[in-house]
Amino acid sequence: MSRPSDYVDAATPDTARRPEITQPGLGPLGYLRFFWRQLTSMRTALVLLLLLAIAAVPGSMWPQRSSDPNGVIQFFADNPDLAPVLDSFQLFDVYTSVWFSAIYLLLFVSLIGCVIPRTTHHLKALRASPPKTPARLERLPGFTSRIEPNLDAATAIDSARDLLRSSGYRVQLFNGKDLSASAERGYLRETGNLVFHSALVGILVAVGIGGGFSFSGQKVVIEGQPFVNVLAGYDSFNPGRFAGEHSLEPFRMTLDDFSVVYEEENLRAYGTPTDFTASVTTYLPREEGQPGEVKVNHPLAVAGTNVYLLGNGYAPTITVRDGEGNIAFDSSVPFLPQDQNLTSLGVIKVPDALPEQLGMIGFFYPAAGELHSGALTSVHPDLVNPVLTLRVYTGDLGLDSGAPKSVYSLETDTLTEVVGGDSGVDTIELRPGESAELPNGLGTVTFESKDPDAGPNNWADSVPRFASFDIHHVPSQGWVLVFAILVLGGLLASLFVPRRRMWVKAVELPDGGIRIEYAGLARGEDPTLEDAVADIAERHARKLTT
Amino acid sequence: MTETLATYSLVAIYSAMAVYALAFVFFTVDLAKRASLAPEPVAATAATGQLTAARGGTTTLERTETVTTRKRGRFERAGFALTVIAWLLHLGGAVLRGLANGYVPWSNMFEFSLMMSLIVVLVFLVIQFWLDLGYLGAYITGAALIVLGIGTTNFYVDVTPLAVPLQSVWLVIHVFVAILGTSFFALGAGLSLLQLLQSRREASGKTDGFLSTVPDADKLETLAYRVIVIGFVFWTFTLIAGAIWAERAWGRYWGWDTKEVWTFIIWTIYAGYIHARATRGWRGTRSAVLSLIGFGAVIFNYTVVNLFMKGLHAYSGL
């Protein structure tokens, strides 16, 4: 049996006619066989498919650790009671959860259990000849016939055989009561169906195995600075099961320039970015640097690794001199964009400042404008009127506790506010190139300008930008693509190649001549069967006249 | 220039909507007429086995078949004529929008609704050359009207430069094929809905109503299946093309983003539908229900997922 027993074209089980079934007891092997039958039946496959669809839904209702880890953290913070309950059902890891995996693994076992016997059956069918011509063709679809008084059966059937062969049919002649040609075509339909299902298994395997050897990492790079492809060079790194430090190809990449083009004509979209370009130079070991570009939708391939441009922002350069006049901090700090116009938030931690450690929370406005409330906001994402505001805290930043701390946040609970907020001292407001004195002799802070000539007429190059890159290495994705194309090809063949049988029979008439009969039989969905029979009949008639 | 073109585009769309509304009225009146008239099958003898004389042989007519062909009613024909006019206006609106954009007119929800209704109506009109689907006219024009109405009032956005992440050849391919798939699913859903109504009527034994002029449930199911299968192929391609684009844009071909999740769910439901057609006990009503659930998921994916769910496919422009 090639198809599951409940396949629609399979013979109807005759159990319905026997109301009382005396079933013999099943041994362990019998039960195994029973469950296997159940698992590989069409109904089970169908139910598993629908279950899979339902099981995928929760992954869109709650944030997932795989696609939105920050969303999960936020959800835990917002719903401290609900979140652990959901988590215990793996609702933040739906697609790797036990229950989701169980469904798709069962589905694939069912699929394999269905495909293997069908493959062996199909291989046999591919070598077999078409079946014997039915005794009566009248009741078959597309039946048509024609009297040919001046022809003999052998000529007619020979010519029918040639015609069917040239139309892609496999033909077998039968000489029973009447001479006939039995033909079949469209084996590609079943081949396509099997390729489709096998390729799905291929995708699953390629994704499963490939995932183990792939890695992805993120790195924020400020203009002028390098990224080195070693583990410590990443801001975050997510290796697969078998990937790690050893998967990293040695290379270095510097971000030479990051440029953005803004819309300036369409007033309804004024200031919308229309192009991002990260100009980089990549260095492979013992080789000259190669200039390159990373753009959105255009990753850069370096040493088998792809570099993607996913984000950008400003990284103001800040110098802090402490109370003793020493430079305690001198660095460009990536500020995280908060809105479309790149109002950006950043944190500066100066643990080396003396006499006290300094912490600052800064807002950067590339095009500062004042709201009615007096608060600043950015009105354009480009450097039109760059302003940096700082609130300053003193106290122990907690960096010596040993626990990892985010560079993008400052815990102010244990710190003393000395500038801005409720401290009584106005928030520091700086333009590129300006400095400000900190109160209580704590020192000075300077917002360095990248371009010494920058000023109110042209701030364009005053503040460096940063680009955030994703670095990915997914060795199996070529395989996934190959299988995906096979899925599509198999699907097309299995849905649109008609599998049909065709018969041409020559019935010798008692008063000489013959009656040629034509009929077809669809195997599976075949909307054009009757037309096809009519077409063969017509072409055969034409062939016989010439 | 951009503004002018965008305005003309809207004028064309509103005009198309007005004409669709008229067409809808005519198709609805046609359905009502069908309901009031007793079914009058016109018996025509069609020769299925007739052939031209071959080599002096006598050609005999071996088999005749009575085919019931229905003459299209006056209102139906008027409905079709109006639909063609509305579609041309609709097409004009889409082309003008594209010209105003300077890129393909399917980059946000408004444009998606514009194109999707355009393709649905096109498929409906083209199919008429092979099949008489006049009974779907009210459904199709009504759907186009609703989609355009919601699109212009709730999803309308001004012409803006193409967002950087959408600047890719895959926008043209992936989204257009998604629109094609959606259109075929919409048509399939209409047929499945009709199939459910028809099988209920057949079960009740009623012989009047407009459904008596519509093919029987089996025939409707076959039609729905053929349409949905085409939609399924397009959807599969959308999924694959989307994965390729995602790899170029985000560095991973699949990441269970909400839109990806729902695209997968829809694919799975329709895969289920196709299997249901081949499973004993699942043909007929059950598979029709699956088709409707599938289309429900398509609508959910287009509206709720776009508007209310967080994800990377945030292109509604709203």
Side-chain angles (χ1 to χ4, degrees), chain A residues 10 145 268 274 297 308 544, chain B residues 55 62 158 165 167 247 280:
Chain A
S145 72
R268 300 199 181 190
T274 55
N297 280 317
Y308 300 85
L544 288 171
Chain B
R55 214 202 290 174
E62 287 287 334
D158 287 316
Q167 291 170 10
E247 193 280 325
R280 188 174 295 136

Side-chain angles (χ1 to χ4, degrees), chain A residues 40-252:
Chain A
T40 58
S41 73
M42 293 287 292
R43 206 176 311 112
T44 308
L46 180 57
V47 168
L48 284 171
L49 258 176
L50 298 179
L51 263 181
L52 189 67
I54 295 169
V57 174
S60 68
M61 317 287 286
W62 293 287
Q64 298 296 299
R65 289 202 173 89
S66 58
S67 56
D68 185 14
N70 294 329
V72 178
I73 294 168
Q74 192 61 44
F75 191 89
F76 266 83
D78 296 345
N79 308 280
D81 298 326
L82 181 61
V85 179
L86 295 180
D87 202 19
S88 65
F89 290 105
Q90 297 179 297
L91 286 167
F92 299 112
D93 306 281
V94 166
Y95 306 106
T96 48
S97 68
V98 176
W99 43 275
F100 190 79
S101 310
I103 294 171
Y104 76 73
L105 288 176
L106 271 177
L107 181 64
F108 272 89
V109 170
S110 163
L111 188 157
I112 292 167
C114 182
V115 162
I116 288 176
R118 275 174 59 188
T119 308
T120 54
H121 181 269
H122 186 53
L123 288 176
K124 270 188 218 137
L126 280 175
R127 287 191 302 263
S129 334
K132 206 163 159 249
T133 311
R136 294 168 63 79
L137 294 179
E138 297 92 287
R139 299 193 64 83
L140 289 168
F143 174 78
T144 173
S145 72
R146 192 176 70 245
I147 309 269
E148 291 278 4
N150 306 323
L151 273 179
D152 62 288
T155 319
I157 294 303
D158 268 352
S159 118
R161 179 183 56 193
D162 295 346
L163 176 68
L164 286 165
R165 283 224 172 112
S166 66
S167 312
Y169 284 84
R170 179 174 301 182
V171 189
Q172 178 75 36
L173 297 191
F174 288 97
N175 196 357
K177 193 159 86 48
D178 305 298
L179 191 61
S180 66
S182 168
E184 183 156 0
R185 59 148 288 155
Y187 296 85
L188 189 60
R189 186 185 185 89
E190 178 72 355
T191 309
N193 194 311
L194 294 171
V195 165
F196 171 80
H197 286 101
S198 312
L200 284 179
V201 180
I203 288 184
L204 185 73
V205 171
V207 169
I209 295 178
F213 291 97
S214 54
F215 67 80
S216 68
Q218 287 74 38
K219 175 66 181 174
V220 166
V221 185
I222 299 163
E223 279 179 312
Q225 294 191 359
F227 159 73
V228 182
N229 193 28
V230 293
L231 208 47
Y234 284 91
D235 294 334
S236 62
F237 189 72
N238 317 294
R241 196 173 297 252
F242 312 113
E245 179 99 57
H246 59 274
S247 320
L248 300 175
E249 294 292 329
F251 74 85
R252 176 163 61 95

